[in-house]
Amino acid sequence: MILVKLLPTGRRLVCLLAGLAVAGCVSQSVQRDGVTINDPFEAQNRRVHAFNKGLDARVIGPVADRLKGDDDGPRDPDAPIGPLQMVINAGRNLSLPVKVVNGLLQGRPGDAGQNLTRFAVNSTLGLGGLFDPAAASFGVTERDTDFGETLAVWGVPEGAYLELPILGPSTQRDAVGQVVDLLIDPLYHVLDAKGAAVVFGLRVASKAGDRARFGDSVDGILQGSADSYAQLRLIWLMNRRHDLGEERAEYDPYDDAAIDPYAE
């Protein structure tokens, strides 16, 4: 039913809205280390970044450190997983249904089928997604995607860079995608308000778990950079474009040398 609503009329409407949002900004593209950056809202973005940075230092970071607990450091793959990893697993499992929808909208039934299989296995054998037998026992890994990628597949341009409160780095296209992901997520159409709130809470907790696992890297960017806004913007755009196959320069976003825009 969701797909029927989105295709073809809904698809045209979403593309139109995203296209208008992207076209409505004043382009101020510059080249930084071979990367094209369109950031006409830099002044506003920097204010949001300052808020996010303070929130991370005072709330998110400390909470993530508390979550880390016994899961700190490398884990023996044969050892039982801790509560942090269970929360991360559960949140990721609940994000799979909307990824199935996006796989279909992108014309990638193989990816959609793999995510659907993973959701079915982990929701049953994995006790609601707390464990990951789909990958551990059957080799079925997640095909990560979102509606921002769907818009990219449909040819919607990236638009201007944005930093969103709490959510962090984004673009106009991805910001539209985050809203649409909530609208097309099958779980929110089959669950009542209480169930939807539980799903949302687990997803937020999963993100906090990821922040805990990669805390040192995040702290290095946010707290240890001369200009954390420029550094985060560069890293995020490089990685996002690489993930979407939209590289605009010859670089490897996972090369350590590419991460530091101030390196000689």
Side-chain angles (χ1 to χ4, degrees):
M1 188 65 176
I2 296 170
L3 293 178
V4 172
K5 291 180 180 178
L6 274 176
L7 292 172
T9 304
R11 168 174 166 166
R12 289 198 296 267
L13 178 60
V14 171
C15 281
L16 176 61
L17 292 174
L20 289 173
V22 170
C25 76
V26 177
S27 178
Q28 295 183 3
S29 298
V30 296
Q31 287 284 334
R32 300 281 174 83
D33 299 299
V35 179
T36 301
I37 295 175
N38 179 20
D39 191 0
F41 309 121
E42 181 170 350
Q44 299 95 311
N45 284 337
R46 283 186 176 275
R47 286 194 287 269
V48 175
H49 177 77
F51 167 78
N52 287 342
K53 184 175 178 179
L55 184 67
D56 185 87
R58 289 188 282 270
V59 180
I60 299 176
V63 170
D65 289 340
R66 291 288 299 273
L67 281 175
K68 189 183 299 185
D70 295 335
D71 290 333
D72 191 12
R75 186 180 64 83
D76 181 351
D78 296 325
I81 67 172
L84 173 61
Q85 189 60 49
M86 288 184 182
V87 170
I88 294 173
N89 288 347
R92 287 178 176 170
N93 187 60
L94 292 170
S95 73
L96 288 172
V98 73
K99 294 178 182 180
V100 173
V101 174
N102 278 304
L104 294 175
L105 293 175
Q106 293 164 17
R108 297 168 175 168
D111 289 358
Q114 185 160 327
N115 281 333
L116 181 60
T117 299
R118 180 174 170 81
F119 179 72
V121 171
N122 284 350
S123 296
T124 53
L125 300 181
L127 302 180
L130 294 177
F131 302 95
D132 188 8
S137 301
F138 303 102
V140 181
T141 56
E142 177 183 320
R143 295 298 179 93
D144 192 24
T145 190
D146 51 49
F147 198 78
E149 181 172 4
T150 299
L151 291 174
V153 170
W154 291 352
V156 176
E158 178 182 85
Y161 176 80
L162 299 174
E163 180 149 352
L164 304 176
I166 302 176
L167 300 176
S170 186
T171 61
Q172 288 178 304
R173 181 178 64 195
D174 283 329
V176 171
Q178 290 182 56
V179 174
V180 177
D181 272 332
L182 293 175
L183 299 177
I184 66 174
D185 191 329
L187 289 180
Y188 292 125
H189 289 266
V190 299
L191 297 174
D192 58 17
K194 185 176 180 179
V198 171
V199 169
F200 182 79
L202 281 172
R203 289 184 181 177
V204 171
S206 178
K207 294 297 183 181
D210 283 332
R211 169 64 176 85
R213 291 184 60 196
F214 302 106
D216 292 342
S217 298
V218 174
D219 289 340
I221 297 171
L222 291 182
Q223 312 302 335
S225 303
D227 185 347
S228 60
Y229 172 77
Q231 177 118 337
L232 181 64
R233 179 183 61 186
L234 179 64
I235 295 171
W236 189 87
L237 286 171
M238 289 168 64
N239 282 280
R240 182 60 171 167
R241 290 169 182 171
H242 180 270
D243 290 342
L244 297 181
E246 295 181 329
E247 294 94 340
R248 304 184 185 184
E250 295 297 326
Y251 60 79
D252 179 358
Y254 300 104
D255 182 356
D256 290 340
I259 290 180
D260 186 1
Y262 305 101
E264 297 294 338

